[in-house]
Amino acid sequence: MVIEKIKESRFTPDVFDITTFGTAFADHMLLSWYKDGKWSEPIIKPYGKLDFTPAISVGHYGQGIFEGMKAYKGETGDVYLFRPDKNLERLNKSAERLDMPQIPEEIFMDGLKALIDLDRQWVPSTYGMSLYLRPVMFATEEAITARSSNEYLFAILTAVAPNYYNKPLSVKVADRYSRAANGGVGFAKAAGNYAGSFYPTHLAREEGYDQVIWTDDATHTFIEEAGTMNVFVRINDKLITAPTSERILDGVTRRSMIELAKAEGIDVEVRKVTVEEMHTAHKNGQLKEVFGVGTAVVVNNYVAVGYASERLELEDLPETESYGKILKKKLVDLQMGISEDPFGWRLKVEENLVEA
């Protein structure tokens, strides 16, 4: 691995006062280029611009995928990753679906740890904050031929991460637009999945909502995802979340929440849940919570769900009664090294991986 250090760090402590997500980038980035059927030796260099032409393949045919991860700093100053093997697994699953090359484990894992070690001062120690990590791969061949690219760039960017949402959200159930369809790329972290969601989200915001709860494309009957999150519905004391499928992203946070909930003795069901079931539970006073989970947001308890012409208001439960808030604290405590890690999810980033 080639290391090219920045001459003078751009870090200042006030960067941790930032309130916008994904705009304060750390000093370095990792790059590896795929050409002639192989990946180049990765290089870590100062974060900055790259040189492309308007003919770059990703701009025309959309071969772009990414992951969302975080680095956490514990009370002792140690820096941790959270289940990075699952992100690599999903990144390569996405790559396969979009006919892109696989990322070797040594480039991903060794590069990730070296990059974080080099910029560990950028990892905030404030509870709930983190350094967001964005592994991304996209087609770079200078060609506008409609085919898979022959050249790609794999990069890892890092940015200081305050709370993704600074308030509980209200969400609108989709009854026309769809995020994904059977046989499509809904399970992949494909860039186009997000582009296609922006317009329906814009319409929901015009109605006074923050995000969209996506439903199945065929009938708009079953709850699937919400914005950038997997969805959990709590009816009485039972927590329900949809099973993953061709249409639903297999979220690392979702998977972890299920295991944490079971460890806490919470009754969890992974099954299809209909919009009507949620609506009926609300009408009967049995709908206790609906919340979204994801790497960036962690957990966001919704204050309202829009269903047809109705707005289903949800009670803001105290922290000792809300499953979403209880599980969020359990997860963040584990990620930041405050609590024990009985699952083996936490990976410490050793110091001095990069020579001075």
Side-chain angles (χ1 to χ4, degrees):
M1 187 180 306
V2 177
I3 308 292
E4 180 187 329
K5 293 186 180 181
I6 196 168
K7 292 181 180 179
E8 184 176 349
S9 175
R10 294 179 290 104
F11 175 80
T12 57
D14 60 7
V15 75
F16 296 147
D17 297 330
I18 193 168
T19 57
T20 52
F21 189 96
T23 58
F25 295 97
D27 283 334
H28 298 90
M29 60 183 178
L30 178 140
L31 305 174
S32 181
W33 302 84
Y34 183 88
K35 190 175 182 178
D36 299 327
K38 62 182 180 181
W39 288 102
S40 69
E41 183 179 11
I43 177 171
I44 292 177
K45 61 183 296 184
Y47 173 80
K49 296 180 180 180
L50 300 173
D51 186 17
F52 298 113
T53 79
I56 186 172
S57 184
V58 66
H60 300 267
Y61 304 112
Q63 279 184 297
I65 58 174
F66 65 92
E67 276 297 314
M69 309 170 64
K70 288 179 176 178
Y72 309 85
K73 185 172 287 184
E75 294 175 330
T76 62
D78 291 329
V79 173
Y80 302 102
L81 291 170
F82 182 72
R83 308 188 79 174
D85 56 316
K86 298 302 180 186
N87 292 99
L88 174 59
E89 178 184 300
R90 190 172 61 183
L91 184 68
N92 278 331
K93 187 177 178 182
S94 299
E96 180 181 25
R97 179 62 183 84
L98 271 70
D99 197 29
M100 301 167 76
Q102 299 285 288
I103 295 291
E105 182 177 357
E106 60 272 17
I107 290 180
F108 185 91
M109 296 297 289
D110 293 348
L112 191 63
K113 289 185 283 188
L115 180 64
I116 295 166
D117 178 44
L118 189 60
D119 282 344
R120 63 174 53 236
Q121 67 177 338
W122 287 82
V123 185
S125 57
T126 302
Y127 187 83
M129 289 188 68
S130 57
L131 183 67
Y132 186 76
L133 317 174
R134 172 52 61 86
V136 59
M137 190 210 308
F138 53 88
T140 56
E141 186 176 0
E142 189 176 10
I144 54 173
T145 310
R147 56 163 171 78
S148 298
S149 177
N150 291 311
E151 299 175 8
Y152 299 87
L153 172 64
F154 172 66
I156 303 177
L157 321 175
T158 66
V160 174
N163 289 329
Y164 194 81
Y165 299 113
N166 58 11
K167 64 174 184 177
L169 302 181
S170 61
V171 290
K172 178 71 185 289
V173 175
D175 55 11
R176 178 185 175 188
Y177 295 101
S178 300
R179 176 187 173 274
N182 286 333
V185 297
F187 67 89
K189 288 280 282 187
N193 289 346
Y194 296 81
S197 74
F198 293 155
Y199 179 64
T201 303
H202 173 83
L203 296 179
R205 287 175 178 156
E206 289 185 340
E207 295 185 50
Y209 295 93
D210 301 295
Q211 277 288 354
V212 174
I213 283 188
W214 300 107
T215 50
D216 67 290
D217 63 298
T219 67
H220 295 293
T221 300
F222 298 99
I223 293 171
E224 297 199 330
E225 290 190 34
T228 56
M229 299 166 278
N230 293 113
V231 179
F232 284 79
V233 175
R234 178 185 171 186
I235 298 177
N236 290 324
D237 291 333
K238 183 172 292 183
L239 205 53
I240 310 165
T241 191
T244 56
S245 68
E246 290 180 309
R247 303 184 306 274
I248 299 177
L249 190 70
D250 187 5
V252 177
T253 305
R254 168 194 174 275
R255 203 185 293 193
S256 304
M257 284 294 183
I258 292 170
E259 295 183 57
L260 278 172
K262 289 179 178 178
E264 288 297 303
I266 295 172
D267 186 7
V268 184
E269 287 189 0
V270 179
R271 64 166 174 84
K272 291 184 177 181
V273 55
T274 65
V275 180
E276 185 56 39
E277 181 181 5
M278 178 179 66
H279 178 256
T280 300
H282 184 270
K283 186 168 58 177
N284 296 336
Q286 298 172 324
L287 184 64
K288 303 301 182 183
E289 295 176 85
V290 183
F291 56 86
V293 306
T295 297
V297 68
V298 189
V299 177
N300 189 286
N301 278 72
Y302 303 145
V303 294
V305 177
Y307 173 50
S309 60
E310 295 184 61
R311 183 180 173 96
L312 313 181
E313 301 289 345
L314 296 167
E315 183 182 355
D316 183 16
L317 297 175
E319 292 187 3
T320 55
E321 297 177 22
S322 162
Y323 285 176
K325 294 174 184 177
I326 290 169
L327 294 174
K328 179 178 182 177
K329 187 175 189 311
K330 291 284 183 184
L331 183 63
V332 174
D333 284 355
L334 188 155
Q335 290 169 330
M336 298 194 72
I338 295 170
S339 65
E340 295 297 319
D341 176 18
F343 306 98
W345 292 340
R346 195 166 57 216
L347 176 64
K348 182 179 176 181
V349 178
E350 299 296 338
E351 295 191 54
N352 302 318
L353 293 172
V354 178
E355 294 182 5

